[in-house]
Amino acid sequence: MTRNSGLKKQTIGSCLTGALLAASAAPCFAAATHARYNLQEPNSLLGQDIYDLHTLVMWICTVIFVGVFGFMLYAIVKHRKSAGHQAAHFHENTTVEVIWTVIPFVILIGMAIPASKTLIHQRDTSAADLTIKVTGYQWKWGYEYLNGEGEGISFYSTLATPREQIDGTAPKGENYLLEVDQSLVVPVGRKVRMVVTAADVLHAWWVPALASKQDAVPGFVRDTWFKAEREGVYRGQCAELCGKEHGFMPIVVQVLSAEKYAQWVNEHKPKTDTAAVDANKTWTLDELVARGEKVFAQNCVACHQANGMGVPGTFPALNGSTVVKGPKEKQIDIVLRGVVHDGKPTAMQPFAQLSDADLAAVITYTRNAWNNKSGEMVSPADIKAGRSRGTAAVAR
């Protein structure tokens, strides 16, 4: 046996052993890493199309990688200088030129056809059963049901993870930074069109399991869609670097059966009677309190509770609060600009996106509800004056 033939058999043997070990370990490795490294399990037909396209392209890339680098390894070993191989010359070889032109062309066409089909499907927002406007704010999401069942419902969805978990003074929950006070609720099996925009900076509405992702750009309106195939709760996140609180803008979509969704609509629709009003309207205390109760139920009740007692240790009570019973200017500043503590924002985020009438109403309501019988009225003009006082959040 020559030295070269011995090396050849040793190399082949090592390769076969490695291949067998890799083949035997592949199923276990795939099962263990799928959930961690692959895309989320799709929950819509569009999501399945994207998932299948991703898998197809990955396999094509894998075959190309293995083929190219396998051939390179073979050429290095087989045609090494120490074996006495003389380099061949392929300059101006028509066969080689045709092969390395045709093969990439076929590969590209093989990927372009399914990719184009999926992209066209993804951009088709026509014939939607339900249209919802999504507005990104720093740092919350606003949802407005524009048509379909639930038309007229609107609310804000903000991070519900307790500040103690964020600061590391309490154990982190199962859905840390992926939980909100109010979820977006949609019916199963219905095409939902999402009209996406932003009020301040760039955001991006993204729920991977629903294969729905759209940038939210101030001054522009763009749309996307999804149709959930199964009931459940699906979580996403703002996918744009929108500021220092970028990681605090989760998205939660709750998919319900048609019956449960109709029940949810019936429970929430009366809470959204906050239609625009005449800016010159002269309000009475009773009118502001009545309107403020609805605004409170829509935007504040998740934290401060319907009885105004808040959540001890997490969200402060408004019933008997020194802020609510104190000078109205301070409460207006808090509602307009939020509260910071030790230089960090608290759960009390700004609500400047609400109208002057809604803010005046909800503040008036809190100053006259429960045991806070102040008899004091805050007018839209007070809110307008508060907006002109500055932009800094209130320090606590």
Side-chain angles (χ1 to χ4, degrees), residues 282-289 328 360-361 363-365 367-368 374-380 382:
T282 300
W283 293 86
T284 66
L285 177 63
D286 290 342
E287 287 176 332
L288 282 173
V289 169
K328 63 183 179 182
I363 293 174
T364 299
Y365 171 72
R367 298 174 82 84
N368 291 276
S374 69
E376 185 179 11
M377 186 175 76
V378 175
S379 69
D382 294 326

Side-chain angles (χ1 to χ4, degrees), residues 51-61 110-111 114:
Y51 188 92
D52 292 343
L53 176 63
H54 168 266
T55 303
L56 172 65
V57 173
M58 282 299 297
W59 274 116
I60 291 175
C61 292
M111 291 192 293

Side-chain angles (χ1 to χ4, degrees), residues 285 288-289 291-293 295-296 300 318 323-336 348 351 354-370 372 374 376-379 382-383 386 389:
L285 177 63
L288 282 173
V289 169
R291 186 182 182 89
E293 184 174 10
V295 178
F296 183 87
C300 316
L318 300 183
V323 172
V324 176
K325 300 180 75 171
K328 63 183 179 182
E329 288 77 12
K330 182 176 182 179
Q331 188 180 2
I332 291 172
D333 287 343
I334 289 175
V335 175
L336 280 174
M348 182 58 203
F351 283 85
L354 296 180
S355 69
D356 290 353
D358 283 346
L359 289 174
V362 74
I363 293 174
T364 299
Y365 171 72
T366 59
R367 298 174 82 84
N368 291 276
W370 316 299
N372 304 333
S374 69
E376 185 179 11
M377 186 175 76
V378 175
S379 69
D382 294 326
I383 303 300
R389 278 199 288 271

Side-chain angles (χ1 to χ4, degrees), residues 25-71:
C28 297
F29 179 77
T33 59
H34 179 274
R36 184 171 182 180
Y37 297 108
N38 206 348
L39 301 179
Q40 287 189 17
E41 194 71 21
N43 183 51
S44 65
L45 293 178
L46 177 59
Q48 189 65 53
D49 288 347
I50 295 175
Y51 188 92
D52 292 343
L53 176 63
H54 168 266
T55 303
L56 172 65
V57 173
M58 282 299 297
W59 274 116
I60 291 175
C61 292
T62 301
V63 170
I64 293 174
F65 178 85
V66 172
V68 170
F69 281 88
F71 181 77

Side-chain angles (χ1 to χ4, degrees), residues 90-104:
F90 298 96
H91 297 298
E92 299 181 358
N93 185 304
T94 304
T95 302
V96 173
E97 296 282 352
V98 169
I99 290 175
W100 69 30
T101 300
V102 171
I103 291 179

Side-chain angles (χ1 to χ4, degrees), residues 73-338:
L73 180 63
Y74 168 79
I76 291 172
V77 174
K78 178 70 175 179
H79 302 144
R80 65 190 184 279
K81 184 178 180 180
S82 61
H85 182 78
Q86 298 296 320
H89 297 280
F90 298 96
H91 297 298
E92 299 181 358
N93 185 304
T94 304
T95 302
V96 173
E97 296 282 352
V98 169
I99 290 175
W100 69 30
T101 300
V102 171
I103 291 179
F105 178 77
V106 172
I107 293 173
L108 288 177
I109 293 299
M111 291 192 293
I113 292 176
S116 300
K117 182 181 177 182
T118 301
L119 185 61
I120 292 172
H121 188 202
Q122 187 178 20
R123 298 310 308 162
D124 181 12
T125 58
S126 62
D129 300 305
L130 181 66
T131 300
I132 301 174
K133 179 184 177 184
V134 184
T135 304
Y137 300 93
Q138 286 183 312
W139 288 268
K140 62 173 76 70
W141 295 102
Y143 296 108
E144 300 174 57
Y145 290 62
L146 299 182
N147 62 31
E149 192 178 9
E151 180 179 347
I153 293 177
S154 65
F155 56 86
Y156 296 95
S157 180
T158 60
L159 177 73
T161 297
R163 195 74 212 184
E164 290 75 14
Q165 292 186 20
I166 298 173
D167 293 338
T169 57
K172 292 180 171 50
E174 179 183 1
N175 296 307
Y176 176 67
L177 294 185
L178 290 175
E179 49 213 341
V180 297
D181 55 355
Q182 294 196 78
S183 306
L184 176 68
V185 179
V186 298
V188 68
R190 305 287 293 275
K191 185 173 183 177
V192 180
R193 178 183 177 227
M194 306 297 291
V195 179
V196 184
T197 186
D200 35 47
V201 298
L202 291 174
H203 300 278
W205 198 84
W206 181 36
V207 181
L210 300 176
S212 185
K213 181 181 181 182
Q214 181 62 61
D215 285 349
V217 184
F220 291 84
V221 175
R222 297 176 175 176
D223 61 354
T224 183
W225 70 277
F226 66 86
K227 185 167 75 173
E229 299 297 324
R230 293 182 293 275
E231 295 181 54
V233 176
Y234 303 95
R235 302 180 189 275
Q237 178 64 279
C238 176
E240 194 69 62
L241 188 60
C242 55
K244 66 183 181 63
E245 299 290 302
H246 163 70
F248 297 167
M249 283 191 68
I251 301 162
V252 179
V253 179
Q254 188 174 5
V255 180
L256 302 178
S257 65
E259 295 77 15
K260 292 179 180 177
Y261 178 72
Q263 181 180 355
W264 179 85
V265 168
N266 289 332
E267 291 174 354
H268 287 75
K269 203 165 186 178
K271 300 178 181 179
T272 61
D273 185 17
T274 55
V277 296
D278 184 357
N280 299 317
K281 175 181 173 62
T282 300
W283 293 86
T284 66
L285 177 63
D286 290 342
E287 287 176 332
L288 282 173
V289 169
R291 186 182 182 89
E293 184 174 10
K294 296 175 182 177
V295 178
F296 183 87
Q298 181 183 351
N299 299 279
C300 316
V301 73
C303 298
H304 297 294
Q305 306 299 302
N307 58 7
M309 297 308 294
V311 179
T314 303
F315 302 112
L318 300 183
N319 187 6
S321 165
T322 56
V323 172
V324 176
K325 300 180 75 171
K328 63 183 179 182
E329 288 77 12
K330 182 176 182 179
Q331 188 180 2
I332 291 172
D333 287 343
I334 289 175
V335 175
L336 280 174
R337 301 179 182 91

